[in-house]
Amino acid sequence: MSAALDYTRQEMMAIATGREIRDGELAIFGVGLSMLAGFFAQANHAPNLRSMTEGGVYGATPVGGLPWGIECNRLAVNATSFTSALDALGFLVASGRCDVGVIGAAQVDKFGNVNTTGIWDGEIGPHYRPPKTRLPGAGGANDIACGAKRFIVMVTHEPKRFAEKVTYISSPGYLDGGLSRAQHGFVGGGPSAIITTLGILRPEPGTNEFVLDGWFPFSSVEEIKAHTGWALRVAPDAREIPAPSETELANLRKVDETGALRKK
């Protein structure tokens, strides 16, 4: 990377997420940054990626900019097939056929559990009560978290989003850590990474608690710890994550040619 090469935190997060996706995999994306990361991977290093949106559009290469939704016309131009959310989530994902999914989060905790349902004051209690702040809901993220062989969480790294324990699990990670996820019989394997605007966290073998695996060139261990709501530990082999190359940035910006998600 040239010292003069300019990129945003959102772009770094999308590129780091895309690097996790391998050529030939069957992948499912939601909207926004999830699609940006996925279609960047397809344009950059995974030309044989078999992509599916939550709405069931399969094999698309977006034209004219980042799709605004899971069934946007920008996906329809050259998709291989059009099915439905029932096929995408209820057949491919729920059966364990999907290699990787990418989801967002309003809140995430140290075991990779995701909350996109609401924010409560204190514990919810034995009976559901309306939240103080209502969030958009799980959408297809719960299906992906339960059924994909692995999934990646993308989230802005802020203290309010990184909780010791989420008050509501919209999409399960490793629940209480250790073997607790396995004991519930989910088809999918759980979250392989939490990729943020500051760095990358991965589950520690055995405990499945997320620890810091790497930081971006503009961040640091100290900054990431300060923005995390639990006592974040650092992996022994943690390192600085390589900055985007000129080719990576060019391929990302072809996907997001309108600059819709090019934020600082």
Side-chain angles (χ1 to χ4, degrees):
M1 170 184 166
S2 164
L5 197 61
D6 186 34
Y7 58 91
T8 71
R9 294 187 175 202
Q10 295 274 43
E11 288 179 319
M12 182 73 240
M13 176 168 62
I15 287 172
T17 303
R19 289 170 178 169
E20 302 280 315
I21 299 171
R22 308 180 193 101
D23 195 26
E25 288 192 307
L26 176 60
I28 187 162
F29 314 133
V31 297
L33 286 168
S34 172
M35 279 190 180
L36 180 58
F39 289 120
F40 155 74
Q42 186 179 64
N44 187 71
H45 61 270
N48 301 304
L49 186 70
R50 296 170 293 150
S51 64
M52 172 79 75
T53 72
E54 291 179 15
V57 180
Y58 175 78
T61 303
V63 174
L66 190 69
W68 54 260
I70 55 177
E71 294 175 341
C72 175
N73 288 343
R74 288 172 175 170
L75 291 166
V77 174
N78 56 7
T80 302
S81 65
F82 299 87
T83 58
S84 66
L86 181 61
D87 287 326
L89 299 171
F91 172 62
L92 286 175
V93 177
S95 66
R97 289 176 170 85
C98 185
D99 294 304
V100 60
V102 184
I103 69 173
Q107 269 192 332
V108 64
D109 67 23
K110 67 179 181 179
F111 293 122
N113 301 302
V114 169
N115 174 20
T116 51
T117 298
I119 305 298
W120 282 263
D121 290 324
E123 296 291 330
I124 299 175
H127 304 291
Y128 182 89
R129 60 184 174 85
K132 174 185 176 183
T133 303
R134 186 70 171 88
L135 300 172
N142 177 270
D143 304 78
I144 294 169
C146 292
K149 292 176 184 176
R150 74 183 192 283
F151 70 93
I152 302 161
V153 180
M154 298 179 74
V155 59
T156 301
H157 211 132
E158 301 170 337
K160 67 180 181 180
R161 296 182 184 274
F162 280 74
E164 177 87 19
K165 182 178 181 180
V166 295
T167 52
Y168 190 95
I169 298 177
S170 309
S171 303
Y174 293 107
L175 301 177
D176 295 318
L179 298 175
S180 58
R181 179 183 173 95
Q183 291 166 351
H184 283 76
F186 294 116
V187 173
S192 59
I194 300 172
I195 300 184
T196 83
T197 45
L198 297 178
I200 300 176
L201 284 66
R202 297 191 192 275
E204 178 184 60
T207 68
N208 282 322
E209 179 178 333
F210 276 79
V211 298
L212 181 62
D213 184 65
W215 56 93
F216 296 148
F218 47 76
S219 185
S220 65
V221 173
E222 293 71 24
E223 181 182 14
I224 292 172
K225 283 186 172 182
H227 285 76
T228 303
W230 67 87
L232 180 67
R233 292 183 290 112
V234 181
D237 57 350
R239 78 292 182 203
E240 182 176 291
I241 306 299
S245 68
E246 291 187 32
T247 300
E248 285 178 321
L249 275 176
N251 286 328
L252 182 82
R253 290 169 180 175
K254 284 179 184 176
V255 174
D256 185 24
E257 64 181 71
T258 64
L261 291 176
R262 203 167 299 159
K263 301 176 183 177
K264 296 291 183 185

